[in-house]
Amino acid sequence: MAPILYSFRRCPYAIRARLAIRVAGMTVELREILLREKPEAFLQASPSATVPALVTGDGTVVDESLDIMLLALRENDPEGWLSPPAGSLDTMVALIDEINGGFKSDLDRAKYPNRFPDAEPDRSWERAMARLNGFAPILACHGGWLFGDRASLADMAILPFVRQFAHIDRGRFDAAAEPPLREWLDGFLRSEPFAAVMEKYPVWNPEEPGVRFP
């Protein structure tokens, strides 16, 4: 029985899980859901009721996106995402955790200010932009990537959130972003892996199986 992946196409957490599953050559039954109409089977499977959620063949539930990435890549890592030319897995995970924290908090307050009584969307946007521009010297030094001259776990875990942030106001992002940052994002958006994981699937019908992915 193939693992089941509950997913939502545009969610950056789900995007990074699908990227890792695809590169690892892992086959799953993808169940695309609507976050406003979460099916009962998903709610029973995922303790956090958030996507992505992976249900393995033995029934184990993995519902943290980074944990799904690590599970898939530890089974098969043909492009060496866990072994970057510069740095280590621990340093990559520490950076991802940092982005998941303060940067994501600012992103949310810039994108969804009505959800946060204390939101100052412009200040949040500026802080998030400054954090991303801090990557520019590293990207320039490493030929366009964070941890060496090729893509790594860190790049693929963080880029979906850079995409989400840039889409708040792409014109404003382009005007403020340092060239290496803008090129990093644009290269990702033009890439075949990104196109492959962003294919549109019908919303899962609980009366039918999901679709094979990838």
Side-chain angles (χ1 to χ4, degrees):
M1 177 180 174
I4 295 167
L5 180 71
Y6 290 97
S7 184
F8 178 65
R9 179 177 175 270
R10 298 193 308 273
C11 172
Y13 294 103
I15 291 171
R16 70 185 185 186
R18 296 196 305 270
L19 285 164
I21 286 169
R22 179 186 176 276
V23 79
M26 181 180 185
T27 300
V28 300
E29 176 190 329
L30 187 145
R31 297 180 177 180
E32 179 76 7
I33 68 169
L34 294 177
L35 298 182
R36 65 177 181 273
E37 298 176 9
K38 298 174 182 177
E40 186 60 29
F42 166 66
L43 294 174
Q44 291 179 2
S46 173
S48 65
T50 59
V51 292
L54 180 73
V55 183
T56 67
D58 66 3
T60 301
V61 177
V62 185
D63 67 350
E64 292 289 341
S65 58
L66 182 56
D67 290 340
I68 294 173
M69 295 185 82
L70 293 171
L71 182 151
L73 293 166
R74 282 169 173 155
E75 288 292 324
N76 186 36
D77 186 16
E79 297 187 10
W81 285 11
L82 300 183
S83 305
S88 67
L89 177 57
D90 286 345
T91 54
M92 289 193 296
V93 169
L95 179 60
I96 295 165
D97 286 343
E98 178 190 330
I99 293 299
N100 288 350
F103 171 79
K104 185 60 165 65
S105 176
D106 281 327
L107 188 164
D108 288 343
R109 282 162 173 77
K111 186 174 176 66
Y112 309 110
N114 293 339
R115 297 182 185 179
F116 303 94
D118 63 341
E120 297 179 280
D122 281 341
R123 290 188 63 185
S124 291
W125 192 95
E126 290 169 0
R127 280 195 301 265
M129 188 73 250
R131 180 66 188 90
L132 293 181
N133 270 331
F135 288 147
I138 300 168
L139 295 167
C141 179
H142 289 164
W145 303 103
L146 290 174
F147 283 87
D149 59 0
R150 56 175 170 78
S152 69
L153 175 75
D155 297 285
M156 295 305 171
I158 294 171
L159 275 163
F161 294 91
V162 181
R163 170 184 178 270
Q164 186 185 45
F165 176 72
H167 282 188
I168 296 172
D169 185 335
R170 187 59 204 251
R172 185 181 182 187
F173 176 88
D174 285 344
E178 296 289 341
L181 174 67
R182 193 166 57 247
E183 291 162 9
W184 183 49
L185 174 60
D186 287 344
F188 173 65
L189 297 179
R190 291 192 302 265
S191 71
E192 191 275 334
F194 176 72
V197 304
M198 293 303 287
E199 184 176 345
K200 292 184 178 181
Y201 295 101
V203 175
W204 176 60
N205 179 351
E207 302 300 319
E208 299 176 0
V211 299
R212 178 187 171 98
F213 176 86

